[in-house]
Amino acid sequence: MRTGDGTRQSAQAGHLPALHLPVLYAQVMEGLQVKRDGTYLDGTFGRGGHARGVLERLGPGGRLLLMDKDPEAIAHAEAHFGGDARVQIRRGSFAGMAQWDAVADGLDGVLLDLGVSSPQLDVAERGFSFGKDGPLDMRMDFESGQSAADWIASADEKDIADVLWTYGEERMSRRIARAIVQRRESEPFTRTADLAAVIATAVPRGKQEIHPATRSFQAIRIHINRELSDLETGLDAALASLKPGGRLAVISFHSLEDRIVKRFITAHAKAPPTNRRLPVAIEFVPTVNAIGGAQKGTAEEISANPRARSAVLRVAEKREAQA
């Protein structure tokens, strides 16, 4: 899960020493290679930790485009960044970046910091965490779409099991789905702690260190917010919008996200394996260069911010079009 704006305070934040730095801050800035007159899009603004770093590196002619699904994140962006003439703000998923007129002239960099932000995770009322009892919501845009409570109330047992298995890799998905359906017959689920308790009774804890509901909550959140489908669409849109030499930087927090990002970069950087017995129908033309491999937090950062432990950054650069 993304804990992007939350957490590590550092005296190395340039002229803003009191601010909290997001995870992999230095690696992201190095990966984006911000040009003073460039145009950059932060598709997951959160509370603006990475965006602030990009803006510090832009000159008067640079532009920073900010997006987020979360109305509270957009309100924060408007309050803290809206007064800068170089900044434009749009509420919505980064999957729809291609529909924003401000993107039409091309981008020099795109940043996607995936998953749940610290403010979302830490506020019980948002319903993302079973560690803090709150309404069972889980929507990043809490003003639209179906809440987790509504979905659980209406989904059939097979659909619940499929979501838990596909998005949470939960081996006990069928048992958990059965327990959820049996319990909702007598009383609907409305609170995070209630759902977590029912899941815990269905899953033998054994020696596992994580809470029995961890994977299920992750899976439901991903499903409710269409996170993986948005990621696939957003990666295509980012590549199409980048100028030659532009950089794509993506931070993921679990294997499902990272797998999609890795495969996307590999598919556009390397020719697929060929069968020597078959003719080559179309010559492969790479469109990106992978910039290094998977990057993770330093031991110092992880020690100061344990939430950074699962963060993985991948960077790619768009190649010049071949004639």
Side-chain angles (χ1 to χ4, degrees):
M1 291 180 287
R2 179 165 69 96
T3 53
D5 296 298
T7 49
R8 184 167 63 91
Q9 189 171 15
S10 172
Q12 300 177 354
H15 61 277
L16 296 171
L19 294 173
H20 292 274
L21 294 185
V23 297
L24 303 180
Y25 177 85
Q27 295 93 323
V28 167
M29 294 303 116
E30 173 65 25
L32 286 175
Q33 295 282 294
V34 178
K35 304 174 184 177
R36 282 180 56 79
D37 60 349
T39 300
Y40 294 84
L41 183 143
D42 183 343
T44 48
F45 174 79
R47 288 300 180 269
H50 291 112
R52 188 175 290 106
V54 173
L55 196 58
E56 286 181 337
R57 289 160 174 78
L58 290 177
R63 297 170 66 215
L64 177 60
L65 311 180
L66 303 176
M67 297 188 74
D68 206 293
K69 290 180 180 180
D70 189 338
E72 291 182 352
I74 291 300
H76 187 90
E78 290 172 344
H80 295 273
F81 290 75
D84 194 314
R86 299 170 295 173
V87 175
Q88 291 180 255
I89 302 168
R90 179 184 176 95
R91 176 178 163 187
S93 169
F94 57 73
M97 70 175 76
Q99 283 73 57
W100 192 1
D101 291 343
V103 175
D105 291 334
L107 302 170
D108 294 286
V110 175
L111 169 65
L112 305 177
D113 184 5
L114 306 175
V116 184
S117 68
S118 287
Q120 292 168 331
L121 190 65
D122 293 340
V123 175
E125 287 73 22
R126 300 302 300 273
F128 287 105
S129 174
F130 50 80
K132 299 179 180 180
D133 185 34
L136 187 57
D137 195 307
M138 296 196 193
R139 291 173 294 175
M140 292 180 181
D141 180 353
F142 53 79
E143 295 181 349
S144 65
Q146 186 181 42
S147 70
D150 289 341
W151 177 72
I152 287 174
S154 59
D156 64 35
E157 183 176 323
K158 181 180 183 302
D159 287 343
I160 294 173
D162 287 348
V163 164
L164 301 187
W165 170 254
T166 302
Y167 299 136
E169 299 178 314
E170 173 55 71
R171 290 178 295 177
M172 300 289 180
S173 59
R174 293 183 181 179
R175 181 184 296 186
I176 293 171
R178 190 176 310 118
I180 289 173
V181 170
Q182 289 174 349
R183 182 7 244 286
R184 79 182 184 192
E185 291 177 356
S186 59
E187 183 181 359
F189 288 95
T190 61
R191 309 288 296 182
T192 57
D194 185 22
L195 177 60
V198 169
I199 294 172
T201 61
V203 179
R205 186 154 189 167
K207 297 181 180 180
Q208 64 178 334
E209 296 180 359
I210 65 173
H211 190 282
T214 300
R215 294 187 182 89
S216 295
F217 266 63
Q218 170 189 293
I220 295 168
R221 188 206 82 217
I222 289 172
H223 172 73
I224 290 296
N225 294 287
R226 306 179 306 279
E227 292 178 40
L228 299 189
S229 60
D230 274 10
L231 175 57
E232 292 172 342
T233 302
L235 290 172
D236 286 333
L239 180 57
S241 300
L242 283 171
K243 302 174 184 176
R247 294 285 184 96
L248 169 67
V250 186
I251 302 173
S252 57
F253 286 82
H254 61 73
S255 60
L256 295 176
E257 295 170 337
D258 184 55
R259 195 176 303 144
I260 290 173
V261 178
K262 181 180 179 180
R263 288 176 176 172
F264 177 84
I265 293 174
T266 300
H268 290 85
K270 297 180 180 180
T274 59
N275 187 332
R276 290 180 294 178
R277 299 178 180 179
L278 298 176
V280 178
I282 302 175
E283 181 181 0
F284 176 78
V285 178
T287 53
V288 305
N289 292 323
I291 307 299
Q295 301 181 52
K296 298 185 178 182
T298 63
E300 179 185 7
E301 178 178 5
I302 292 172
S303 176
N305 174 17
R307 290 176 170 179
R309 185 180 295 112
S310 58
V312 178
L313 170 68
R314 294 186 186 273
V315 180
E317 181 179 271
K318 187 169 182 177
R319 295 168 60 109
E320 296 281 350
Q322 296 185 13

